[in-house]
Amino acid sequence: MKNIIEVLKEYDIAPSMQRIKILEYLQNYKIHPTADMIYQALEDEIPTLSKTTVYNTLKTFTEKGILVALSLFENEVRYEYNTYPHIHFKCIKCNKIYDMDKSFDLYKDDIIDGHKVIEHHVNLKGVCKECIKEEE
Amino acid sequence: MKNIIEVLKEYDIAPSMQRIKILEYLQNYKIHPTADMIYQALEDEIPTLSKTTVYNTLKTFTEKGILVALSLFENEVRYEYNTYPHIHFKCIKCNKIYDMDKSFDLYKDDIIDGHKVIEHHVNLKGVCKECIKEEE
DNA sequence: GTACAACTTTGTAACGATTACAAACTTGAA
DNA sequence: TTCAAGTTTGTAATCGTTACAAAGTTGTAC
C-alpha cells in the first residue's frame, strides 16, 4: 500500500494529521462512506476532530481529484409521471433533467453476485444542448 | 389526454382540488420537478396551498404507484477512492454500497441528442446477499 | 338537514446533511 | 521571532424534508 503522506503530496495537499487519517480510512474501508461515517470512525482516535474538518477535507480531496463524490440527484427528490425504463440526463448548468431513449441492459429483478436488483438507474450528467449554445 | 379525476380514482385516490392540480402539473411538465418546483408553480393558482400538502400528495402518489421518485443516493454524498468506471449497488436494508464489475456502454464524453455527457452513473438498488440470508 | 367519522389540508416546529463564517491554532520561511 | 498563509474548529445558518396536531372538508346514516 502506498504511503499516504506521499499520496497527499502527489496531489498537492499538505499532509496534516486529520487529512492522513481520513485518507487512510478511505483507503481501508471501501464502503463508500458518508462524511458522517468517517467522522464517527475517527472521533475516538482524534477527539478534537470537527465534522467541518471532515467536510472540508473531503471537499479538498474531491477538488484535487483524489476522490469522487457520488450523488447524482443531490439533495432533491425528483418525480416523474412515466415509468418505462429510460436514461436520465441532468444538466449541470440549468438543472433540467431530460429523458433519453437510449436502450440499455436492464438488470431489474436479476440476481447479480447474489444481490437481488429491484431498481436500475442510468444517470448521465453534463451540459445540455441549450446551455452549450449559450456558452458560445 | 386522460381525465385526471379518472386517473386518480383508478389509483384509489380521492380527487381533491390540490391532488388534481398537482397531477395535472406532472402530466403537463415532464421536467421531473422537485416538490418545491411544483409548490412554486401552483401557489398562485391555489393561494392557500401548503408545502406539506405537496409533499403529502407526492408521497401518496408514489405509494399508490402513479409516480416514481428518483433519488438514488438520497440525502447523502458517498465518497470513493477508486474511480474506474463501475456499477454501484445499494442495499435498501443495510445501506451498504457494493461495487460491481459488470461492464456497460460508457457514454462519458459522448454527445447524445446534442447534450454533452460528462459523467455516467449506473446505479442499482435492491437487497444484498447478506440481507437476503437474514430474511430467511 | 344534522351529526359524526374518516379523510385532507395546513402551518409550525423539528430533523439531518451540508455549508458559511469567523476565531483559534499551526506551520514554515524571512 | 515574527508574520502570513494555511488548517482546524465550533456555532449558526441553510435547504429539503418530515412529524405533528389543529382546522377544514366530505360523505353517509340517521
Side-chain angles (χ1 to χ4, degrees):
Chain A
M1 191 172 71
K2 230 185 200 171
N3 183 308
I4 287 161
I5 294 173
E6 272 166 29
V7 174
L8 286 170
K9 282 182 181 162
E10 219 169 85
Y11 282 93
D12 203 27
I13 299 167
S16 73
M17 214 256 276
Q18 289 81 345
R19 287 169 176 173
I20 292 168
K21 291 292 177 194
I22 291 172
L23 185 52
E24 192 177 43
Y25 181 84
L26 284 159
Q27 280 190 348
N28 291 338
Y29 300 94
K30 300 193 188 254
I31 54 168
H32 305 77
T34 63
D36 197 60
M37 285 172 177
I38 297 170
Y39 173 75
Q40 284 182 30
L42 297 179
E43 64 178 338
D44 286 343
E45 205 176 343
I46 313 172
T48 65
L49 185 65
S50 160
K51 235 181 215 176
T52 304
T53 301
V54 177
Y55 280 107
N56 287 344
T57 302
L58 291 171
K59 201 182 170 202
T60 305
F61 286 1
T62 305
E63 280 167 5
K64 298 281 187 177
I66 293 192
L67 298 180
V68 171
L70 305 173
S71 173
L72 241 225
F73 293 109
E74 285 104 37
N75 281 336
E76 309 166 320
V77 180
R78 300 286 193 128
Y79 294 90
E80 70 179 345
Y81 187 62
N82 264 323
T83 64
Y84 63 92
H86 54 268
I87 293 178
H88 290 111
F89 174 90
K90 179 173 176 178
C91 177
I92 57 175
K93 302 268 177 191
C94 66
N95 289 320
K96 282 208 197 81
I97 294 179
Y98 297 84
D99 287 346
M100 292 182 159
D101 57 2
K102 286 258 176 200
S103 67
F104 56 94
D105 288 338
L106 191 63
Y107 294 131
K108 187 160 149 43
D109 301 328
D110 284 7
I111 304 276
I112 303 183
D113 298 352
H115 310 311
K116 183 167 184 239
V117 179
I118 294 169
E119 293 177 30
H120 179 166
H121 300 268
V122 177
N123 298 316
L124 309 177
K125 226 175 174 173
V127 182
C128 79
K129 207 192 260 185
E130 301 303 316
C131 290
I132 289 171
K133 249 189 239 156
E134 277 175 27
E135 275 178 354
E136 281 157 12
Chain B
M1 192 172 69
K2 231 183 199 172
N3 183 308
I4 288 161
I5 295 174
E6 270 165 30
V7 174
L8 287 170
K9 282 182 182 162
E10 219 170 85
Y11 282 93
D12 202 28
I13 299 166
S16 74
M17 213 256 278
Q18 288 81 344
R19 287 169 175 172
I20 292 168
K21 289 294 176 195
I22 290 171
L23 184 52
E24 193 177 43
Y25 182 83
L26 284 159
Q27 281 190 349
N28 291 337
Y29 299 94
K30 299 191 189 257
I31 54 168
H32 305 76
T34 62
D36 198 60
M37 286 173 178
I38 297 169
Y39 173 74
Q40 283 181 31
L42 297 180
E43 63 178 338
D44 285 342
E45 206 175 345
I46 312 172
T48 65
L49 184 65
S50 159
K51 235 181 213 178
T52 305
T53 301
V54 177
Y55 280 107
N56 287 344
T57 303
L58 292 171
K59 202 180 170 205
T60 304
F61 286 1
T62 305
E63 281 166 4
K64 298 281 187 176
I66 293 193
L67 297 181
V68 171
L70 306 173
S71 172
L72 242 226
F73 291 108
E74 284 103 36
N75 280 335
E76 309 166 320
V77 180
R78 301 285 192 131
Y79 293 91
E80 70 179 345
Y81 188 62
N82 264 322
T83 63
Y84 63 94
H86 54 268
I87 292 179
H88 290 109
F89 175 91
K90 179 172 179 181
C91 178
I92 56 175
K93 301 267 178 192
C94 66
N95 289 319
K96 282 206 195 82
I97 294 179
Y98 297 83
D99 286 346
M100 292 182 158
D101 58 2
K102 287 258 175 197
S103 67
F104 56 93
D105 289 336
L106 191 63
Y107 294 132
K108 188 161 147 43
D109 301 329
D110 285 6
I111 305 275
I112 304 183
D113 298 351
H115 311 311
K116 182 162 186 246
V117 179
I118 294 169
E119 294 176 31
H120 179 167
H121 301 268
V122 177
N123 298 315
L124 309 177
K125 225 172 174 176
V127 182
C128 79
K129 208 193 259 184
E130 303 301 317
C131 291
I132 291 172
K133 250 189 237 155
E134 278 175 27
E135 276 179 354
E136 282 157 11

